Amino acid sequence: MASRQAHPFLGEEKLLSQRQLIEAEYLPNSETWVACNQDKPVGFIGLMGKFIGGLFVDPGVQGLGVGRLLVTHALTLKGSLELEVYAANENAVCFYSRLGFSEVSRRKQDDEGLPFENLRMRLAG
């Protein structure tokens, strides 16, 4: 649900293939931290070293500080962070900018060579 809201420009087929990739490759190979509210998971961050492979927050609690809490925790652990975000995901770009991330590079295509512009962003601790 959160991914569909954040990435409607990708289309259902690409979202499904990304979900399968996340489940099969990223989650088993990442350091994952889960935020809970009353023992119910409401968000998670997946780290591959200092790289944020994914940050997702339940749409019902977005805007309440869960994402900020997860990023702050990751920054405390790692000292600095990097990530890639779709340029068309304006809410995420604004969120990361508010947290102090700055753009370090930009590419016109995603990892599959499709025309979805990506921003590389970095946050120093």
Side-chain angles (χ1 to χ4, degrees), residues 21-99:
L21 182 64
I22 289 167
E23 290 174 357
E25 297 292 327
Y26 291 123
L27 286 176
N29 297 308
S30 69
E31 177 182 348
T32 303
W33 293 89
V34 179
C36 295
N37 183 8
Q38 298 179 349
D39 295 327
K40 178 186 173 200
V42 293
F44 74 88
I45 190 168
L47 303 170
M48 294 172 286
K50 295 182 178 202
F51 188 82
I52 297 175
L55 173 64
F56 292 93
V57 175
D58 183 314
V61 297
Q62 288 181 1
L64 300 179
V66 175
R68 177 181 293 274
L69 179 70
L70 287 164
V71 170
T72 299
H73 180 69
L75 184 61
T76 300
L77 292 172
K78 303 300 179 179
S80 65
L81 297 170
E82 289 198 14
L83 58 88
E84 280 199 357
V85 62
Y86 288 108
N89 186 351
E90 295 174 5
N91 288 339
V93 173
C94 288
F95 169 75
Y96 291 123
S97 295
R98 282 193 310 272
L99 292 182

